[in-house]
Amino acid sequence: MKISYNWLKQFIKTDWDAEKTGDLLTDLGLEIEGIDTYESVKGGLKGIVVGEVLTCVQHPNADRLKVTTVNIGADAPLQIVCGAPNVAAGQKVPVATIGTTLYTAEGEAWKIKKGKIRGEESHGMICAEDELGLGESHDGIMVLDAELEVGMLASDLFKVENDQVFEIGLTPNRADAMSHYGVARDLKAGLLQKDVSLELITPSVSSYHVDARALKIDVDVKDIEKAPRYCGVTLSGLKVESSPAWLQHRLKSIGLAPINNIVDATNYVLHELGQPLHAFDADKITDNKIEVRTCEAGTKFTTLDGVERELHEDDLMICDAKKPMCIAGVFGGIDSGVTDNTTRIFLESAYFNPVSVRKTAKRHGLNTDASFRFERGIDPNLTEYALKRAALLIIDIAGGEITSDIVDAYPKKIKDFEVRLSFDNAKKLIGETIPEETIKSILTSLEIKVNNVTEAGLGLTVPAYRNDVQREADIIEEILRVYGYNNIATTTKLNASISNSSRFEDYKLQNIIGNQLASQGFYEIMANSLTSPKYIELSADLNEEHNVTMLNPLSNDLEVMRQSLLFSGLEAVAHNINRKRDDLKLFEFGKTYHQYAEAREEHKHLSVFVTGNKAEERWNSTASPSDFFYLKGTVEAVLQRLGLTKLKSAPIKSDIFSEGITLSVGKKKLADFGLVKKSVLKHFGIAQNVLFADFNWDNVLEMAKHNKIKFSAISKYPEVRRDFALLLDNKVTFEEIDTIAKQTERQLLKSVNLFDVYEGKKLPTGKKSYAVSFILQDENKTLNDKQIDKIMSKLQSNFETKLGAELR
């Protein structure tokens, strides 16, 4: 938000420089992000003075040039070569002296230098209107009033506006500071703490009166929930033209382009007082009637930008007897606004429900100065005052008269907030005692009324425009920001206690697994919990009824809380692939949100995404694409790191996978993982395979807590490995081999591993070859060949009997 310092000083007459004032505003919570310089004429006409042409003769070497001598009030006249056809002796003219910087129409700077033009010295430049930035004419030099004093600064003559503009990073809660008046109100309170007591000056409306009741517009507010207060008045006999220079400079300084005197006046009051206004051409209001209501869903309406929009049934509209004219608090209509031919207007000043305005603005993708303020909540008690201020300003700059009484539809007054402040609580939160008189002075300077005072605290009334100050903690924050955070002493002693915490704390396990995945080349992502409701259509597992919907969505794509981490992760995958990052390994710890009949629930998840190659391509190794078994190894490694090894696997049932596995312990599902369906990937524009694992982190935490870690000494005796090459039917699985082996030898057989699978032409039809290794070990002694051969014979016999296996 931009604040003009010259404009600000109309409310509070401070002589502080802009830097010092900016520091104080930052301390008050209105952070100054930068201070820019505004000049109504680029360059500020620095170096330009009024000169008098003493002589003017033909240039000896050029037909179109003149050699002049010009008095600029210096010790001696200047010789200046000039090409303007209208230059003549006796004229008062603007002169750019040596070293002056001028600007082209495109804004490029160039400097006046001493030089020779066709052999004659020239010590400056007599300027035309466009060369000074005062107009577009280049027919000849500017000829000034003959009565002007020689040597007078052109910046004083043309009343160049020089201003400094604050760029304030306004936080959403500070709706009270969305105007020059609001900032001045805070500045006054801050200056008071610096022992600088200044009056806050507000524009007077004492001269407001009705000139003639000649144009009455009836107002009917049909939706008082969305429009708690609505004011309006008519003005007639107006002349629409350009605004006066002072008003244009005020608007330009904060980045607004002047339009005409009527519209500029409403914009001026908006940025002056923080109250949005809107002017309707009264001759375009059918039957002289205003209705504040909603319209049927699908109603077509064209806004000022020429875009035809389809209205929602909840959009509050300003209508006449037949048609909508304006989206209330957001944007005007193309057919009801002020034009060059307008002579009568209906001037609106209202307080609209912030939630309603925000929903409408986001629904139509509009962000205007008016909606910015209405969304955050303006002062409902300023509505009539701002209307009078705007009406008087319009009459002052556009003529005319006030031709109706003010209509003020305000059926239910918005109440101020009652808050109780405890001195003890203030001390606890602030960290030191602030004198009671200082607290009362600060609150009073912020227009917070002190109703009663006791030894324990204060009874306060907070004005309605401070909708961010409704609790005791908010009051304490107000006291602290005005008193000054920097004035609170830093303690010299720090007390802390050490608390016992479980090693199974969520954050500890997250760090363990996060570090493990990072060491495997994974990158952690953090996706938005808000997402598009359209993603529900990609999976039958998700239910629209379970969506947690936002009351005030930022956009249609951020309307609901996510029910799955898959889609936000695929957005990140697509984003990276579109930027030529095809090999990705990502993970995220996040939550999903669900609306059930009984209550809302949120569940913690760990999501893992793998796509492209496992590792970067190198000269000494070929690129190896990520596959299902790579993801399986990653998933099992995560669970094993937490001591979860006795896992039960089953085919996956989720429809977002084309193939996959569910891992569980007992009845607790721990993880789903597999290959994401092509149809889901297509929605995100992803052409390559993506592997996805979804850990139910709540269940993982619970099972990890129940897992008992057993420690055992490392055996003193060696392991023995024996291998079998088994010829098997194609339908036989390794799981069957593993089960039979462990049933055959329960004590000495430590592990079974499949290290090679062969299916080739030399094998019988329907057969395959498994190369299986067996690790044997006795904890009490060294195994001998006789024991080993006996065990291997039993294994061979059981494989042959139960699986029809043959040794190759």
Side-chain angles (χ1 to χ4, degrees), residues 278 301-304 325-327 331-337:
H278 191 73
F301 179 71
T302 304
T303 45
L304 279 170
M325 300 188 297
C326 174
I327 303 177
F331 212 17
I334 198 168
D335 296 325
S336 61

Side-chain angles (χ1 to χ4, degrees), residues 9-10 19 182 382 387 502 537 613 626 680 754:
K9 287 191 282 189
Q10 289 186 340
E19 291 286 344
L382 193 69
L387 183 67
S502 168
E537 301 169 5
N613 294 322
S626 302
V680 176
L754 176 65

Side-chain angles (χ1 to χ4, degrees), residues 30 61 92 159-160 194 249 262 295 319 326 330 387 402 471 495 545 634 703 751 782 802:
L30 302 178
N61 302 317
K92 294 286 179 68
K159 297 180 180 179
V160 174
K194 304 290 185 182
H249 292 327
I262 307 298
C295 297
C319 309
C326 174
V330 181
L387 183 67
I402 297 171
R471 306 169 302 163
N495 296 324
E545 295 178 358
T634 302
M703 299 311 297
S751 66
T782 302
K802 297 180 180 181

Side-chain angles (χ1 to χ4, degrees), residues 191-482:
L191 288 170
L192 193 60
Q193 291 305 303
K194 304 290 185 182
D195 296 323
V196 180
S197 180
L198 294 175
E199 180 185 359
L200 186 63
I201 304 168
T202 55
S204 174
V205 294
S206 59
S207 63
Y208 181 89
H209 66 278
V210 179
D211 297 296
R213 293 175 175 82
L215 178 59
K216 181 183 178 183
I217 303 289
D218 294 322
V219 173
D220 182 9
V221 180
K222 295 184 179 295
D223 194 332
I224 62 172
E225 292 297 323
K226 290 186 174 68
R229 187 173 191 184
Y230 190 87
C231 298
V233 69
T234 64
L235 284 74
S236 302
L238 305 175
K239 183 179 181 182
V240 178
E241 56 188 6
S242 297
S243 298
W246 70 266
L247 177 52
Q248 292 195 37
H249 292 327
R250 285 284 178 265
L251 297 179
K252 287 178 180 179
S253 70
I254 59 173
L256 294 181
I259 299 173
N260 60 54
N261 50 2
I262 307 298
V263 175
D264 292 350
T266 61
N267 285 333
Y268 181 86
V269 174
L270 181 150
H271 290 276
E272 178 185 52
L273 301 177
Q275 171 66 56
L277 302 111
H278 191 73
F280 297 92
D281 189 324
D283 292 325
K284 297 176 182 177
I285 300 175
T286 305
D287 296 341
N288 285 348
K289 185 174 183 180
I290 292 284
E291 292 183 354
V292 184
R293 59 180 174 85
T294 56
C295 297
E296 292 183 5
T299 301
K300 304 295 185 181
F301 179 71
T302 304
T303 45
L304 279 170
D305 55 1
V307 176
E308 184 180 74
R309 305 178 188 275
E310 191 171 293
L311 299 180
H312 188 273
E313 58 188 7
D314 290 330
D315 292 339
L316 185 67
M317 303 297 295
I318 310 301
C319 309
D320 61 17
K322 293 184 178 179
K323 63 184 183 302
M325 300 188 297
C326 174
I327 303 177
V330 181
F331 212 17
I334 198 168
D335 296 325
S336 61
V338 173
T339 67
D340 292 342
N341 299 320
T342 298
T343 59
R344 305 191 301 171
I345 65 169
F346 175 77
L347 186 61
E348 165 197 281
S349 178
Y351 175 86
F352 296 118
N353 182 283
V355 174
S356 172
V357 172
R358 183 173 179 80
K359 284 184 176 182
T360 296
K362 298 305 177 186
R363 209 154 28 224
H364 295 289
L366 294 170
N367 182 23
T368 62
D369 284 337
S371 67
F372 177 82
R373 286 158 178 78
F374 278 126
E375 287 173 15
R376 287 157 177 78
I378 62 171
D379 185 356
N381 298 317
L382 193 69
T383 308
E384 184 180 4
Y385 169 73
L387 183 67
K388 290 180 178 179
R389 164 67 172 151
L392 290 174
L393 180 59
I394 290 172
I395 289 173
D396 182 48
I397 62 178
E401 56 184 8
I402 297 171
T403 51
S404 76
D405 292 314
I406 289 178
V407 176
D408 188 0
Y410 195 17
K412 185 178 180 181
K413 182 177 173 60
I414 296 174
K415 296 181 179 180
D416 295 334
F417 309 111
E418 301 294 332
V419 183
R420 182 76 187 172
L421 172 67
S422 164
F423 291 136
D424 286 342
N425 289 341
K427 180 182 177 181
K428 288 177 183 176
L429 286 180
I430 293 173
E432 70 177 54
T433 301
I434 296 178
E436 294 178 14
E437 289 303 317
T438 302
I439 289 177
K440 288 190 285 186
S441 172
I442 290 173
L443 294 175
T444 302
S445 69
L446 293 172
E447 299 184 1
I448 296 174
K449 183 180 178 183
V450 179
N451 295 324
N452 57 75
V453 182
T454 66
E455 291 184 1
L458 304 174
L460 306 170
T461 299
V462 181
Y465 67 80
R466 289 309 307 269
N467 51 38
D468 62 321
V469 184
Q470 301 183 30
R471 306 169 302 163
E472 183 183 47
D474 299 329
I475 293 290
I476 295 171
E477 182 183 4
E478 290 298 295
I479 295 168
L480 187 53
R481 74 177 180 86
V482 176

Side-chain angles (χ1 to χ4, degrees), residues 68-97:
T68 67
T69 56
V70 183
N71 175 20
I72 62 169
D75 294 338
L78 301 178
Q79 177 172 299
I80 298 175
V81 176
C82 179
N86 63 330
V87 65
Q91 293 174 335
K92 294 286 179 68
V93 293
V95 178
T97 56

